[in-house]
Structure formats: structure tokens, C-alpha cells
Amino acid sequence: METIDNTQSVNENTNGQEAVDYGAILEKQRRYFESGKTISYQERKVELQLLKAAIELHEQEILEALHQDLGKSSTEGYMSEVGLTLSAIDWQIRHLKQNALAKNHLTPIHQFVSSSQTVPVPYGNVLIMAPWNYPFLLAIEPLAQAIAAGNTAIVKTGHAAKATNAVIEKMIQMIYPPEFVCVAPGGREVISELLELKFDYIFFTGGKNLGSLVYQAASKNMTPVTLELGGKSPVVVDESANLALAAKRIVFGKFLNAGQTCVAPDYVIVHESVAKPFMAALKHEIQKQYPNPAQIGKIINESRFKHLVSLVDETKVVIGGRASVDTLQIEPTVLEGVDWDDPIMQEEIFGPILPVLTYRDFKPLMRKLASLPTPLAFYLFTRNDLRKSYMKYVQPFGGGCINDTVLHISSERLPFGGMGASGIGQYHGRYGFETFSHTKGILNKALWIDTPFRYANRKRWMARAIHKIMK
């Protein structure tokens, strides 16, 4: 790929260290985009192939960094981050030409003679803000979709995942010049600087507090945004559920990445008639999946660790409960007898602590859950078709599973995104391409005929004809 300038613009900060001037980088990205280098879908395909090759080349480094930052095993790191990212890139490569082409549409008769098309075009220069909990996946997957759609990008990586950030920065610098893709590591100062700049699109994944600030900053320039937030995603287990399988799949989804997953089951509400056997199945599955509690991943930093420990009411712990500040690990922990007013029910937990509540009647429970801030995910374990329909068509949430947890986010054929308090917009697969594209509607009118119906000097019979044609 031809480059404009392969050096990043830098200046000196107060500590004598080099600091990147992201305003200058963004200006170079504007010129790069205006040059038309990202328009050709063949060029986009090459860039995606470079990204895939770089990931494969650095795979071991990425997995080691994920273990260092979050304690992920190589298998979990590949399954939940590297593998999903490669699958997402492959999807964009396979479908790139089809997605990038203009699409023809039927034209209404009152527009005779003309043709109608929709044309996807890139926004231009986008900002991608990634979190620390899935620091590789949630930085590189949206980047791949932004590239597929024909944009340039500045990628703000999750500051707390320092080892993974370093690998991402090294990898991106190896394959792309900064006027095409630039990685922006750093904390609040970098975020503040980036949010002062005028991007054409902002894609944010993270917490609600920072997401609100991003939304406010974007509104100053009328910049469109995608906000992938979180929330307390509930699991409902009714009396018809397969309890053993429900427990197995809940344990998988909850304790993956030590509970630091935006779509992790936040709490379980089980029908009171099956609460005891469900708790027994839950205990069995935790012991089976985590025979050594130390195998669970670690909490990202000490402040998060201490906050999570403070949420645990020791009198309600029925499984687990031990924690080590030295390793920042909390063993899989289950709380029973939890009330809606307990501190742990007032915020998204984002850790390996699972409160269990009980319910008696399904529809009152659904109304109760609907009155709460809309969650990013919703999980229902049932054999009852009416309850499945209620969950699908009535209950508000971003996305979810019936008789499973978390796995809806692994499909490139399904959109992923929040609703209400849990976010704005969606991505994955075609939805990701569309997120980073503006779709133009184009009417192409014929020159060889000009029907007189629309003009002010129309005859009376023409007015009657308009009523019939447009009725």
C-alpha cells in the first residue's frame, strides 16, 4: 500500500516523553481518505488479508499478553478473542464485494421513468474505542469492519490491558501507516484529546459513564455513534427447564473471563419450585468445570478486585467465596437468598460472583425485569413455547439466548448491540459493515421523457390521474 507519511506526528510532554499529536494524525487520515485509496473493494480486501496474516503471525504473543493481562489460558484466549476475530475478518473478506456493491430496488410507478439504488459509502475517519475486558477482540473486530467499509481509523485501546495493547500497537504499525490506521494507547488524557477532535464516526465499547461522555462529545459535532455498553443481564430458569444443562451453560457464560464479559449472566432468577435442585446442579457444575478454583482468570486490577469483594455478603455465600489479592483472583462464587435491594443488585457485577434469586409467577417477573434498565443480554431456560415467544417479542433487551448463554455474540450472522440503557447500534457481519457505512439512496431519472404531472401548470385530468397513481 502506498503511504503518505509513515511517521507518527509527535511532540514532547511534560515528562520529556514523546506524545502523539492525534490531531495531526487525524488530519493526515483525512487527506488519505480524500485521496480515494480506501474506495476500491480490492484494496480493502488486501488490507483485511494483511490484518489476518499479522494476527496469525503474532498469535502466540497475543495469547501470552491476554494471559498476562487477564489470566486467560491459551485455549480461552483463542476461543474468546483470537479465533472470533479471525472468523470476523474471514466473513468480511468473503462478503466484501457483495456488501460494497450498489443494490438495485424497485421504483414506484409515479417515478416513471427512473431507476433506484442504494449505495454504501464509508463515513471517512472513524474513532474506535475498545475496553480492557476483551482487549484484542473488541479492538480488532470493529477495526476489520471499519476497513471493510472503506474507512480510516484511530483505535483507542483499553488502557488497563497494557500487554495486549503493546502487541496490538506493534502489529498495526507493522502493516499499516498511521494515516490509514493508528493505535492510540493511554488513559484519560488520550481519551480527552481524542474526544475533542472531529471524527466522522465513533464506535465505543465500555461502561455507561464513559459512554455518556462519548455521546456528549459526539453531539457537539453531530457525529454518529455506536455505543456498546452493558448492564445487568438476567437469567430466568423456569420449572420446565433442563436444570443440569442450564447450570452447565450458566457456569460457562458467567465465569468465562472471570465474569468480566459484558454479556455475562449477571444474576439468576429460578422458579422457587426447582430452586434446590438447581442449586445442587450449579454446585456440581462449578466443581466440574473449575476443579481447581485457581484456574479462573484474574480481575484486571486491584481496585476492581477490592470493589468486587466489597459487594459480597458473606452470610449469603453458598459456593466459593475465597479471594486472593496477591493473584487478583476470586473463585467462582454463588450467593443465595439475595434480595433486589442488596448492594450487589444495584450495579453490573462484572466479576465471578453470581447472585441467585427466586420467583413464583412468570409474567409478573417479566414485568419487573422490563421496569429495570434495559440489559444488553437476556437468557431464558425453558421448554415452554409461549414463554419463549414472550421473551422474543415482548421482553426488552439487546440480544440473547434461549437455553444457553453468551453464544449469540459468536455468530457473524446475528447482530450484536444494546437497546436503551445498554447501548445504541449494532455490529458483526453484515451489520458491522453497515454500521461503518452510510447508505445513500439514489434516484436516476431518464432524460428521454419528462412527464408533466408534477409541474404546477398541469391540466385538471392530470390531477385526477395523480390521485389514482399515488393512492
Side-chain angles (χ1 to χ4, degrees):
M1 180 176 61
E2 182 184 353
T3 66
I4 296 173
D5 182 354
N6 206 29
T7 60
Q8 294 190 2
S9 300
V10 299
N11 53 38
E12 298 291 317
N13 65 19
T14 55
N15 297 321
Q17 299 173 329
E18 287 188 340
V20 178
D21 182 350
Y22 292 108
I25 292 290
L26 181 57
E27 186 56 39
K28 290 179 180 179
Q29 290 197 350
R30 286 198 183 97
R31 296 202 304 271
Y32 188 89
F33 179 76
E34 290 166 359
S35 74
K37 295 180 185 295
T38 69
I39 299 302
S40 162
Y41 83 85
Q42 292 95 336
E43 182 70 17
R44 302 181 200 180
K45 184 176 181 179
V46 169
E47 305 300 359
L48 290 171
Q49 289 169 334
L50 281 173
L51 184 59
K52 179 181 178 181
I55 293 171
E56 292 173 337
L57 179 64
H58 291 87
E59 180 181 315
Q60 193 56 41
E61 290 179 69
I62 296 165
L63 295 175
E64 289 172 358
L66 291 170
H67 178 73
Q68 184 176 334
D69 288 330
L70 291 156
K72 294 187 180 186
S73 68
S74 60
T75 301
E76 182 179 334
Y78 189 88
M79 178 183 68
S80 67
E81 300 224 35
V82 176
L84 287 179
T85 304
L86 290 172
S87 294
I89 295 171
D90 280 339
W91 193 97
Q92 295 298 331
I93 291 172
R94 288 197 309 272
H95 297 86
L96 185 57
K97 184 176 182 179
Q98 177 186 356
N99 288 335
L101 288 175
K103 294 174 177 59
N104 296 319
H105 301 273
L106 292 174
T107 301
I109 190 171
H110 57 76
Q111 293 296 344
F112 178 85
V113 173
S114 59
S115 61
S116 300
Q117 284 187 322
T118 52
V119 182
V121 296
Y123 277 102
N125 313 114
V126 307
L127 171 63
I128 296 168
M129 303 181 71
W132 51 260
N133 60 320
Y134 286 83
F136 188 79
L137 172 69
L138 297 181
I140 304 302
E141 181 178 359
L143 172 62
Q145 293 163 5
I147 291 172
N151 301 279
T152 70
I154 292 179
V155 182
K156 168 66 187 73
T157 50
H159 179 56
K162 297 184 185 303
T164 308
N165 294 347
V167 178
I168 291 174
E169 187 171 19
K170 172 185 172 182
M171 186 183 76
I172 294 300
Q173 286 180 349
M174 181 184 79
I175 56 174
Y176 299 140
E179 61 268 22
F180 179 50
V181 179
C182 174
V183 175
R188 293 180 181 178
E189 290 183 3
V190 172
I191 292 173
S192 296
E193 180 183 352
L194 291 171
L195 291 180
E196 288 295 320
L197 303 177
K198 187 181 185 305
F199 289 90
D200 298 307
Y201 200 92
I202 298 176
F203 186 99
F204 171 84
T205 305
K208 293 181 183 178
N209 291 337
L210 182 54
S212 177
L213 295 176
V214 170
Y215 204 13
Q216 292 176 43
S219 69
K220 295 176 183 177
N221 294 309
M222 303 295 289
T223 302
V225 300
T226 292
L227 301 177
E228 296 296 345
L229 307 176
K232 293 184 74 64
S233 298
V235 183
V236 175
V237 180
D238 79 0
E239 65 275 25
S240 72
N242 181 324
L243 300 181
L245 194 57
K248 185 178 184 179
R249 293 174 176 177
I250 291 168
V251 167
F252 162 77
K254 176 61 181 181
F255 301 111
L256 181 71
N257 197 28
Q260 298 167 119
T261 303
C262 59
V263 292
D266 192 89
Y267 58 98
V268 175
I269 317 166
V270 59
H271 192 271
E272 60 184 14
S273 67
V274 294
K276 286 186 177 180
F278 172 75
M279 291 300 294
L282 200 61
K283 183 175 182 179
H284 171 76
E285 275 303 324
I286 290 174
Q287 291 172 342
K288 184 177 178 180
Q289 295 186 39
Y290 294 90
N292 176 11
Q295 76 187 87
I296 197 168
K298 68 178 185 178
I299 306 305
I300 189 65
N301 55 42
E302 188 172 337
S303 69
R304 277 292 305 158
F305 172 87
K306 290 182 177 178
H307 178 68
L308 286 170
V309 170
S310 74
L311 293 176
V312 176
D313 182 344
E314 295 182 2
T315 66
K316 298 183 179 182
V317 173
V318 291
I319 302 170
R322 292 178 296 180
S324 169
V325 70
D326 293 330
T327 61
L328 299 181
Q329 289 174 298
I330 301 172
E331 68 177 326
T333 297
V334 178
L335 310 181
E336 193 176 25
V338 176
D339 187 82
W340 290 101
D341 296 326
D342 287 356
I344 201 163
M345 295 301 295
Q346 307 312 307
E347 62 181 73
E348 183 180 6
I349 298 168
F350 223 65
I353 305 164
L354 181 64
V356 178
L357 299 84
T358 61
Y359 79 97
R360 181 173 297 172
D361 298 312
F362 183 78
K363 284 194 175 179
L365 172 64
M366 293 298 103
R367 288 193 288 268
K368 164 71 175 177
L369 297 177
S371 71
L372 302 174
T374 307
L376 183 56
F378 192 100
Y379 306 113
L380 173 64
F381 286 84
T382 184
R383 290 186 173 96
N384 186 300
D385 289 338
L386 288 176
R387 291 175 181 176
K388 292 177 184 179
S389 294
Y390 191 97
M391 178 258 203
K392 288 189 289 185
Y393 297 110
V394 179
Q395 202 65 23
F397 57 91
C401 301
I402 296 172
N403 293 321
D404 211 331
T405 64
V406 174
L407 292 186
H408 65 292
I409 70 168
S410 66
S411 172
E412 289 299 312
R413 297 182 180 275
L414 293 177
F416 173 64
M419 174 183 176
S422 58
I424 300 169
Q426 54 192 10
Y427 69 121
H428 287 187
R430 175 173 63 86
Y431 305 95
F433 184 93
E434 292 173 351
T435 284
F436 288 102
S437 303
H438 168 68
T439 302
K440 290 181 177 177
I442 305 293
L443 181 75
N444 186 6
K445 198 77 171 183
L447 294 175
W448 60 271
I449 186 171
D450 187 32
T451 55
F453 292 83
R454 61 175 166 169
Y455 299 110
N457 61 344
R458 71 182 68 87
K459 295 180 180 179
R460 185 174 299 177
W461 69 268
M462 293 180 182
R464 293 195 297 270
I466 288 173
H467 277 270
K468 289 186 177 181
I469 292 171
M470 300 188 70
K471 192 171 182 178

